Amino acid sequence: MSRPEPFFREAGAGPGVVCLHSNASHSGQWRELMDRLAPDFHVLAPDGYDAGKSPAWPADQPMCLDDEVALLEPVLARAGSPLVLVGHSYGAAVALTAALRHPGRVRALAVYEPTLFSLLEQEAPAPNDADGIRHAVTAAGEALDRDDTDSAARHFIDYWMGPGSWAATPAPRKPAMAESVRQVRRWGDALFNEPTPLAAFRTLDVPVLYMVGERSPTSARGVARLLCATLPQVQPLTFADLGHMGPITHAEPVNAAIARFLAGL
């Protein structure tokens, strides 16, 4: 069986930078950042499984973050070594996993709220800081069992962006987002059951820009609390007025911070 190939966007020339998108999104979320970095960097932004133009994950198999990393291999190879990984949410969790799996290949990371909820589960059993997203995933999954993709998307999007966010989403954008949320249980399984222990991140001795929105849910800030106390070369950055979807809703300040970080490497 041939290895699946991801779709990816590409721009610029220079040191490699690979940008990984969040759930219910695709590589297009990084267009503005790619334009900003292209004069100085070779920037690639792939679509993950079931996102954008990349292949679907086989529905009858469980998936883990290592599978997402494996899908990215052609993109990582094209970026060259050592490269920089940029990630948001689920994509940031994949970026950290990729950096651990490929020591020496990644020279730095810029991550916005990686959703490694397994670290919260390892710290303490439920009830814990992951309760909110756990309940949202459960509610979204139950809605999908009723084939109610609209309610599933509402549970998921409103958790991350606040009550009423799904209702306020422009109608043309809703169908693709609702369809992507069909993967919510798979995302939850991968993030809650990731076996990597917190201590493993002490070995990730490269510069890490760790961005957090002050208005983000407890689950994202809980993961940040753990990782920022563990990563050896972490540079925490909090955006006072942003939430979890900051790289999409307020791309300019987030992209500017990433560009400054890369310029200083």
Side-chain angles (χ1 to χ4, degrees):
M1 184 181 299
S2 61
R3 179 187 292 270
E5 293 282 335
F7 170 83
F8 60 92
R9 302 169 191 268
E10 187 172 20
V17 179
V18 177
C19 304
L20 307 180
H21 63 81
S22 64
N23 291 133
S25 185
H26 54 75
S27 56
Q29 80 166 76
W30 297 115
R31 286 191 189 98
E32 292 179 28
L33 180 63
M34 294 180 74
D35 290 343
R36 186 173 199 137
L37 298 181
D40 301 303
F41 296 94
H42 180 198
V43 194
L44 302 100
D47 288 336
Y49 276 114
D50 292 289
K53 299 179 182 179
S54 279
W57 177 256
D60 59 343
Q61 301 178 32
M63 195 194 73
C64 63
L65 295 181
D66 280 335
D67 294 313
E68 297 277 15
V69 174
L71 176 68
L72 299 177
E73 179 53 38
V75 179
L76 300 178
R78 189 171 179 85
S81 295
L83 56 84
V84 176
L85 290 173
V86 175
H88 171 213
S89 189
Y90 185 84
V94 175
L96 285 168
T97 303
L100 286 177
R101 301 299 181 262
H102 298 289
R105 193 175 187 181
V106 176
R107 68 186 180 107
L109 298 98
V111 294
Y112 193 105
E113 296 187 2
T115 48
L116 282 167
F117 306 127
S118 56
L119 300 180
L120 297 173
E121 301 285 87
Q122 293 168 22
E123 180 188 37
N128 57 29
D129 284 350
D131 287 349
I133 184 58
R134 183 186 296 104
H135 296 156
V137 168
T138 298
E142 291 172 349
L144 290 173
D145 290 341
R146 303 190 299 271
D147 202 28
D148 185 353
T149 55
D150 187 79
S151 290
R154 175 174 55 80
H155 285 296
F156 186 74
I157 299 301
D158 282 8
Y159 173 77
W160 287 117
M161 299 186 69
S165 295
W166 176 246
T169 299
R173 294 178 55 195
K174 281 188 169 183
M177 293 175 68
E179 185 62 27
S180 72
V181 173
R182 287 187 181 275
Q183 312 303 321
V184 67
R185 280 180 170 139
R186 175 167 64 76
W187 300 335
D189 286 343
L191 295 170
F192 274 93
N193 297 318
E194 170 57 41
T196 303
L198 180 63
F201 292 96
R202 295 195 186 101
T203 70
L204 196 54
D205 198 8
V206 297
V208 178
L209 174 65
Y210 198 119
M211 295 169 282
V212 179
E214 197 168 88
R215 297 184 177 181
S216 294
T218 300
S219 60
R221 289 185 284 110
V223 175
R225 170 177 54 81
L226 295 174
L227 284 173
C228 286
T230 303
L231 291 162
Q233 295 191 51
V234 69
Q235 301 176 32
L237 176 61
T238 298
F239 294 91
D241 297 324
L242 302 192
H244 183 69
M245 301 308 292
I248 295 174
T249 61
H250 296 77
E252 171 56 30
V254 175
N255 291 346
I258 294 171
R260 287 193 301 270
F261 174 69
L262 294 181
L265 293 176

